[in-house]
Amino acid sequence: MDKTYQPEQIENRWYQRWEEGGHFAPSGKGAPFAIMIPPPNVTGSLHMGHAFQDTIMDTLTRWQRMRGRNTLWQVGTDHAGIATQMLVERKVAAEEGKSRHDLGREAFTDKVWEWKHESGGHITRQLRRMGASVDWSRERFTMDDGFYKAVQEVFVQLFDKGLIYRGKRLVNWDPKFETAISDLEVENIEVDGHMWHFKYPLAGGETYEYIEKDAEGNVTRRETRDYISIATTRPETMLGDGAVAVHPSDERYAPLIGKLCEIPVGPKEHRRLIPIITDEYPDPDFGSGAVKITGAHDFNDYGVAQRNGIPLYNLMDRKAHMRRDGLSYEESATLASRAARGEDIGDVDEVNLVPTELRGLDRFEARRRVVEAITAEGLAMTTTDAEGNEQPLVESKKLMQPFGDRSGDVIEPYLTDQWFVAVENLAKPAIAAVESGDIEFVPKNYENMYFAWMRDLQDWCISRQLWWGHRIPAWYDADGNVYVARSEAEARNKHGLADDVRLTQDEDVLDTWFSSGLWTFGTLGWPEKTEALETFHPTNVLVTGFDIIFFWVARMIMLTLEFTGEVPFKQVYVHGLVRDGQGNKMSKSKGNVLDPIDLIDGIDLETLVEKRTGNMMQPQKAKAIAKATRQEFPEGIEPHGTDALRFTFLSQATTGRDIKFDMGRLDGYRNFCNKLWNASRYVLMNAEGQDCGTDGSEVELSLADRWIVSRLQQTEAQVTRAMEEYRFDHASQALYEFIWNEYCDWYLELSKPVLWDDDATPESQRGTRRTLVRVLEAILRLAHPMMPYITEEIWQRVTPLAGTYRGEGDSLMVHPWPEADEASVDEAATRNIEWLKGVIVAIRNIRAELNIAPGKPLEALLTKGDASDRERLEANRPFLAKLAKLERLDWLDAPDEAPLAATQLVGDMEVLVPMAGLIDKDAELTRLAKEIDKQDKLIGGIEKKLGNESFVAKAPDAVVQKERDKLDDLSANRRLLVEQRDKIAAL
């Protein structure tokens, strides 16, 4: 083995050998175990969330493969409708100067497929870097032919059952891409906004007495008004108001219920009147308590409009410009006024309530003009400024505004015809599957989140106005009649249409969540009854983040139950999100993103800064992020290797909790890999070419041998139990403690007196060599699911010595998982070793306290113990002498006759190191005095800071607590130094 561990030299080599050797494919033996990778976007690259999730899935997969299961980790990617279309549109524009409309649908789709074949595999290449042992021979894509067939089949069957329909509903609309989008593709961001307060005059100049009261019922304001006041953040939508709503309990407006008020915008001669109604939605304590209802442009208003039969007037086109089409404003206003009086005016699609001068304007320009017109007319509520002048009442405030996560444009609630899945009947068996325990959430509390959403479902909008995706299998004739079928020919045959009836396929495509909802059975060949489907469905576990329980997990459960009669998976392991070291969400806009590949391979500082700031449009923000990056990573990021990163993720994988990614831990686990590497080199140097007792020859096991074998059994049981409970943090910690503290720090040292003692018997040396290699080989199998590369590299060299090698091409990943042997648990050996460790640590502590060089031979005495302590002393003299660096060790029968000595306790027994001649007393007292003085100065500085009332009052609690913790640590250090000084002074 090389002297130093260099992961970059082994990782690609081993992955290629695993893949070429077919080790990732199902074995065909044992009980099936299947796990589906949540399909990443084909446009994507690996981020920390992917790396964390893939580490968990690969750990589970490798573990079950070693347990003899017929294991399938199914891999594939999602076609990512919006993201892919956007990427290819930009590419075509940059390279050819054309839009997709210039190319046409068919040619543009060809461009997308061309891009997919050339560049669409970036994230799958990165999966290989993470060591993902997926079965690449079964890789699927949500737009491949087999999956397309499954999608069509599901759509047609759901339509035939009445579970898919087309209707006009309010949806999230992205004006840049001109398509409906899902809630998951909407990013709500706090922005600086305004709230305008306007007067809606009462019809006919009617007045009422407006009264405000305080909490005790005392009148605080009384005035006569001829208007009702509303507040809005989107004045342009006032044009489409259908009513003003107040809460039924709001006494201020009780006289106005059922009356009409005038919308204060638009040509004066055609001003519309709308009714004042009651509804539970308005909050009497927010704003004026009166809410304008614009059902076609607000999701809450839409609900009020539906409950109260208020027409929905659409004001905007697909680009979020004010409409140009439809009836004239005069005609539209007349019809809407009739509707306000309770008349049935029928379909309102042609009603366009945008005044002529505003038609075609961008929504934000229309907003500006509406505000100007209302203010000029004196219908804005006013307030008095500091100089006593009246000003329009406009509140500057923070608003949560929805943006498209891909387009960056403000999302508009938009009333449009879309395809929907009626989910009520699909939801019932999906709820029952979790209630009955057929599907189990881990942690269990996520079931409550699932139930809360599933019991309040809205029908699912599944159509998207894109060109890239599964085109909806529906055809229309000239009269708008719709025919749903698997093909145009089937549509004609199914409905008996003549050849001369012209049919046009629906232009829309399906939401990507619709196709990915079929993932567990569509990837296995459904609707065909394949062997894979029979063997691996239902799958065993889904590993996912909590943020897509609604969008993906729930929909998979509903669709899979409907079409297979089975649950898609038996367990859902829900993990948290990966955040930065301060607990902030990682995002490009914050400049705190870490690329897992950079953590594996390393990256220099300037390249890291460029990656974080390169595409930022705001120079000041980019400058601040560059500065923060240089402070956090002054030397860039050193290479750590895949295994260290995987182990870091697993060590922090507490069920359901978000992860604060800690670079310190990553550094620590890189050191852990080095520790394992160096320990293996020691074993090989002492075992290669030697008799390791694997041929059945006689061996003699030392106390240390019996102890480490015993501890191995307990660790195997502990790790297995933790893996079964999805406690990867517990499993990794148990493994770490055993490898670092017990095997490397103690057992390897305890092996040296046997291996290097000329008086040791061949049987005892053979026994220690056998124990060294067999325990190391078991450690490598135990660690392999978590750290596959380093364990495979070392195992290939160790396993021939352990007698478990099967020949060329053999791989650790298909060797059996270690199973604990209770018969090998030796409690007596553990007690004896703990005694031995206690004595050695006691002597090392004395060395540290007295600043005695680690290599200086010492004399030591043991006293005040019992007969068992004496027996252990005699049995372990060689180990104690070697590991504690002792030239003499005796038992003292008369404790009262002990010389002046430094003392440590091991149970009731005292460990004494006589002080005479060990140290330069005066020099040591001088050194300690300086250290105590240094501590006093540091303590004084912090006490002064904490005594400053201004600092304690103004500084964040975390900063103040950090200073208090420092003070506690310094005070504890000072006490230890004083104790050492007093001991030495007494000599």
Side-chain angles (χ1 to χ4, degrees):
M1 287 175 63
D2 291 340
K3 186 173 182 180
T4 57
Y5 171 54
Q6 300 178 61
E8 67 277 6
Q9 294 187 5
I10 68 172
E11 290 180 356
N12 290 332
R13 168 166 52 86
W14 272 115
Y15 196 91
Q16 185 176 352
R17 285 178 62 175
W18 289 331
E19 189 173 348
E20 290 175 353
H23 294 308
F24 300 157
S27 65
K29 301 174 183 177
F33 177 86
I35 187 170
M36 296 280 167
I37 195 169
N41 287 351
V42 69
T43 58
S45 61
L46 197 71
H47 58 61
M48 292 293 276
H50 287 132
F52 174 52
Q53 186 178 69
D54 295 334
T55 295
I56 291 172
M57 286 186 283
D58 190 52
T59 299
L60 282 171
T61 302
R62 288 177 181 272
W63 175 52
Q64 294 290 359
R65 187 183 289 122
M66 293 177 75
R67 296 182 96 188
R69 304 286 292 271
N70 184 22
T71 304
L72 169 65
W73 184 12
Q74 176 66 52
V75 67
T77 49
D78 188 276
H79 62 278
I82 290 180
T84 305
Q85 182 163 311
M86 178 179 71
L87 186 150
V88 177
E89 280 191 84
R90 287 177 179 171
K91 186 174 185 290
V92 170
E95 295 176 357
E96 304 178 30
K98 295 180 179 179
S99 72
R100 64 183 168 100
H101 299 286
D102 295 330
L103 294 177
R105 185 169 190 146
E106 186 174 342
F108 177 76
T109 303
D110 288 342
K111 290 284 186 184
V112 180
W113 277 110
E114 181 181 308
W115 170 86
K116 196 269 179 186
H117 293 312
E118 292 177 359
S119 308
H122 181 58
I123 198 166
T124 58
R125 289 189 290 274
Q126 291 181 313
L127 277 173
R128 288 175 164 88
R129 290 302 314 279
M130 286 300 299
S133 59
V134 297
D135 185 357
W136 293 107
S137 69
R138 298 171 185 258
E139 184 178 359
R140 300 301 301 270
F141 180 50
T142 50
M143 285 286 287
D144 65 31
D145 289 341
F147 218 87
Y148 183 66
K149 182 179 180 181
V151 171
Q152 278 193 320
E153 189 66 29
V154 166
F155 187 96
V156 172
Q157 287 194 36
L158 287 176
F159 179 84
D160 289 345
K161 294 175 181 179
L163 297 176
I164 281 183
Y165 65 92
R166 185 167 172 80
K168 189 181 291 292
R169 294 270 297 277
L170 203 62
V171 297
N172 294 311
W173 186 264
D174 190 317
K176 180 174 181 178
F177 293 130
E178 298 182 46
T179 181
I181 61 174
S182 72
D183 288 343
L184 192 64
E185 293 157 324
V186 176
E187 190 174 9
N188 290 297
I189 301 174
E190 188 176 69
V191 299
D192 294 323
H194 297 90
M195 181 170 285
W196 290 268
H197 295 255
F198 297 133
K199 300 175 181 178
Y200 280 45
L202 299 178
E206 192 168 347
T207 63
Y208 70 108
E209 188 173 32
Y210 177 81
I211 301 173
E212 289 184 359
K213 298 179 181 179
D214 61 20
E216 286 74 36
N218 301 311
V219 174
T220 58
R221 186 173 187 175
R222 184 192 298 270
E223 62 187 28
T224 300
R225 288 184 173 182
D226 61 355
Y227 63 87
I228 186 169
S229 168
I230 64 95
T232 180
T233 60
R234 301 165 68 213
E236 71 280 7
T237 65
M238 293 167 59
L239 300 164
D241 286 353
V244 170
V246 299
H247 196 274
S249 66
D250 197 334
E251 296 178 358
R252 294 171 296 176
Y253 303 117
L256 302 183
I257 306 307
K259 298 186 181 297
L260 301 175
C261 61
E262 181 181 280
I263 300 176
V265 66
K268 190 69 174 174
E269 64 274 22
H270 300 303
R271 289 281 168 88
R272 288 197 297 120
L273 296 177
I274 56 176
I276 299 171
I277 65 171
T278 60
D279 193 89
E280 296 293 326
Y281 166 60
D283 180 356
D285 297 322
F286 182 77
S288 69
V291 180
K292 71 185 200 65
I293 303 302
T294 318
H297 290 277
D298 182 275
F299 287 102
N300 291 314
D301 292 4
Y302 180 80
V304 177
Q306 293 288 85
R307 290 191 293 273
N308 293 277
I310 299 168
L312 307 173
Y313 301 117
N314 200 352
L315 301 172
M316 299 179 194
D317 63 18
R318 292 163 60 100
K319 295 182 180 292
H321 291 177
M322 308 309 285
R323 285 176 59 191
R324 295 176 182 270
D325 64 329
L327 301 172
S328 68
Y329 181 77
E330 180 181 357
E331 293 171 305
S332 299
T334 300
L335 284 170
S337 294
R338 287 170 51 196
R341 294 192 295 269
E343 296 183 33
D344 183 4
I345 61 172
D347 191 351
V348 299
D349 283 356
E350 290 298 307
V351 174
N352 183 351
L353 293 171
V354 180
T356 304
E357 67 273 15
L358 299 181
R359 294 190 176 193
L361 292 180
D362 174 80
R363 55 188 155 161
F364 301 116
E365 174 61 17
R367 174 181 300 176
R368 186 184 67 80
R369 295 200 189 185
V370 166
V371 170
E372 284 182 355
I374 296 174
T375 304
E377 195 172 332
L379 291 175
M381 296 290 289
T382 58
T383 186
T384 304
D385 64 18
E387 298 176 358
N389 301 313
E390 282 199 349
Q391 299 289 341
L393 179 53
V394 183
E395 296 180 67
S396 295
K397 60 187 303 179
K398 296 289 186 181
L399 303 172
M400 294 304 295
Q401 194 160 64
F403 290 84
D405 67 345
R406 300 288 180 181
S407 69
D409 206 355
V410 176
I411 298 304
E412 190 70 34
Y414 188 53
L415 190 66
T416 177
D417 287 310
Q418 301 288 342
W419 288 92
F420 294 88
V421 175
V423 295
E424 183 178 0
N425 289 333
L426 294 173
K428 290 175 182 176
I431 292 171
V434 177
E435 288 177 329
S436 67
D438 290 343
I439 297 175
E440 176 191 6
F441 278 79
V442 181
K444 193 172 179 62
N445 60 288
Y446 282 104
E447 291 180 3
N448 296 328
M449 181 186 289
Y450 172 81
F451 289 138
W453 189 73
M454 291 293 287
R455 288 167 178 156
D456 189 30
L457 274 182
Q458 303 297 315
D459 285 356
W460 171 20
C461 176
I462 57 171
S463 47
R464 299 290 182 263
Q465 289 63 54
L466 303 170
W467 285 0
W468 173 243
H470 291 284
R471 196 165 176 181
I472 289 176
W475 283 260
Y476 301 89
D477 61 21
D479 297 324
N481 297 311
V482 63
Y483 307 98
V484 171
R486 295 163 186 81
S487 65
E488 181 179 341
E490 183 182 294
R492 291 182 181 279
N493 292 335
K494 191 174 180 180
H495 298 281
L497 301 176
D499 290 343
D500 61 350
V501 175
R502 185 171 179 273
L503 294 180
T504 304
Q505 188 173 358
D506 197 304
E507 293 287 327
D508 290 352
V509 300
L510 286 162
D511 174 17
T512 53
W513 294 106
F514 185 88
S515 49
S516 62
L518 322 182
W519 192 242
T520 64
F521 59 97
T523 52
L524 298 175
W526 188 93
E528 304 301 326
K529 293 183 178 179
T530 64
E531 182 181 349
L533 187 66
E534 177 67 25
T535 302
F536 295 110
H537 202 273
T539 63
N540 294 76
V541 60
L542 175 73
V543 177
T544 184
F546 68 84
D547 51 333
I548 57 172
I549 287 176
F550 315 134
F551 298 97
W552 188 45
V553 178
R555 289 164 180 173
M556 273 198 290
I557 295 173
M558 288 191 286
L559 292 173
T560 307
L561 283 167
E562 176 70 18
F563 287 95
T564 71
E566 298 176 327
V567 296
F569 26 71
K570 297 165 187 173
Q571 290 182 309
V572 181
Y573 171 72
V574 183
H575 60 74
L577 305 180
V578 182
R579 299 183 179 273
D580 70 11
Q582 288 69 50
N584 300 311
K585 185 176 180 181
M586 289 188 183
S587 71
K588 291 180 180 178
S589 63
K590 291 180 179 177
N592 61 350
V593 167
L594 287 170
D595 184 334
I597 303 303
D598 292 341
L599 299 177
I600 292 170
D601 293 338
I603 185 172
D604 66 85
L605 176 60
E606 293 310 313
T607 305
L608 177 61
V609 169
E610 176 62 24
K611 285 183 74 169
R612 287 186 163 187
T613 62
N615 295 321
M616 287 196 171
M617 304 301 292
Q618 302 171 358
Q620 287 300 110
K621 187 173 184 181
K623 187 176 180 181
I625 289 171
K627 181 180 179 182
T629 301
R630 289 190 171 95
Q631 289 175 341
E632 186 178 4
F633 303 105
E635 304 296 329
I637 299 175
E638 295 180 350
H640 290 81
T642 300
D643 290 321
L645 179 59
R646 286 171 61 118
F647 207 83
T648 303
F649 282 133
L650 293 167
S651 74
Q652 296 185 280
T654 54
T655 47
R657 295 181 185 174
D658 287 354
I659 286 177
K660 288 184 182 179
F661 189 80
D662 184 353
M663 285 296 298
R665 281 203 184 203
L666 181 59
D667 293 338
Y669 291 126
R670 177 183 57 187
N671 294 339
F672 178 51
C673 291
N674 289 333
K675 185 88 167 179
L676 179 58
W677 185 267
N678 291 332
S680 301
R681 290 184 68 245
Y682 166 83
V683 173
L684 292 171
M685 284 189 292
N686 284 278
E688 284 182 320
Q690 300 292 328
D691 182 358
C692 294
T694 56
D695 58 357
S697 54
E698 186 179 348
V699 297
E700 178 184 323
L701 299 183
S702 70
L703 169 64
D705 297 335
R706 299 195 305 276
W707 165 73
I708 198 66
V709 169
S710 176
R711 285 295 299 125
L712 173 65
Q713 311 314 309
Q714 293 169 324
T715 302
E716 288 172 352
Q718 191 176 356
V719 172
T720 299
R721 182 168 59 252
M723 295 279 278
E724 289 171 343
E725 295 172 353
Y726 299 103
R727 290 309 304 258
F728 303 102
D729 53 335
H730 291 174
S732 59
Q733 186 61 30
L735 192 60
Y736 179 91
E737 291 290 338
F738 178 73
I739 293 175
W740 187 295
N741 295 328
E742 297 182 307
Y743 186 74
C744 296
D745 279 358
W746 283 105
Y747 177 67
L748 297 192
E749 292 301 312
L750 290 167
S751 71
K752 292 174 183 178
V754 178
L755 296 177
W756 299 353
D757 185 354
D758 293 337
D759 295 329
T761 66
E763 291 80 10
S764 64
Q765 291 183 327
R766 190 181 300 128
T768 294
R769 290 193 200 100
R770 189 178 77 173
T771 304
L772 277 170
V773 296
R774 285 193 171 177
V775 172
L776 177 58
E777 194 273 342
I779 284 173
L780 296 171
R781 283 186 284 136
L782 204 60
H784 179 75
M786 303 182 200
M787 302 190 297
Y789 290 117
I790 189 173
T791 52
E792 181 76 84
E793 179 74 9
I794 298 170
W795 183 86
Q796 291 290 334
R797 299 169 185 270
V798 170
T799 186
L801 303 177
T804 54
Y805 194 55
R806 298 173 185 165
E808 187 175 351
D810 195 12
S811 171
L812 167 57
M813 66 182 298
V814 292
H815 268 247
W817 176 254
E819 298 290 343
D821 176 14
E822 291 186 11
S824 297
V825 174
D826 190 332
E827 298 291 354
T830 298
R831 289 191 296 271
N832 289 331
I833 287 291
E834 289 305 316
W835 180 90
L836 178 68
K837 288 163 63 177
V839 174
I840 294 169
V841 169
I843 295 172
R844 289 174 178 175
N845 287 343
I846 292 172
R847 285 182 183 274
E849 286 178 3
L850 300 180
N851 200 27
I852 301 170
K856 181 179 177 61
L858 298 179
E859 293 184 5
L861 299 169
L862 304 184
T863 190
K864 293 186 179 179
D866 58 22
S868 65
D869 292 315
R870 289 194 179 206
E871 291 173 6
R872 285 167 173 159
L873 168 60
E874 296 308 319
N876 292 289
R877 279 184 180 278
F879 294 114
L880 289 167
K882 179 71 176 175
L883 299 184
K885 300 292 191 297
L886 299 176
E887 61 183 4
R888 184 176 177 184
L889 178 60
D890 293 318
W891 187 268
L892 181 64
D893 289 312
D896 294 340
E897 298 176 5
L900 186 62
T903 307
Q904 290 269 314
L905 288 175
V906 177
D908 294 328
M909 184 180 71
E910 287 186 2
V911 179
L912 309 177
V913 174
M915 304 292 291
L918 278 179
I919 60 173
D920 184 332
K921 179 177 177 180
D922 292 337
E924 188 62 15
L925 287 174
T926 301
R927 184 187 73 80
L928 288 170
K930 288 180 180 179
E931 285 294 323
I932 292 168
D933 184 58
K934 180 180 177 181
Q935 297 294 307
D936 286 339
K937 289 177 181 177
L938 292 171
I939 289 169
I942 294 178
E943 286 178 337
K944 183 177 179 181
K945 185 183 287 189
L946 291 173
N948 184 335
E949 293 182 4
S950 177
F951 169 75
V952 174
K954 294 179 180 179
D957 291 343
V959 173
V960 176
Q961 186 59 47
K962 188 175 182 180
E963 294 299 317
R964 288 174 175 153
D965 292 342
K966 276 189 201 174
L967 182 60
D968 290 342
D969 291 341
L970 289 169
S971 299
N973 289 338
R974 187 186 187 282
R975 284 193 296 273
L976 289 173
L977 291 168
V978 170
E979 288 174 8
Q980 290 180 39
R981 181 197 64 190
D982 293 345
K983 282 183 180 179
I984 293 172
L987 289 177

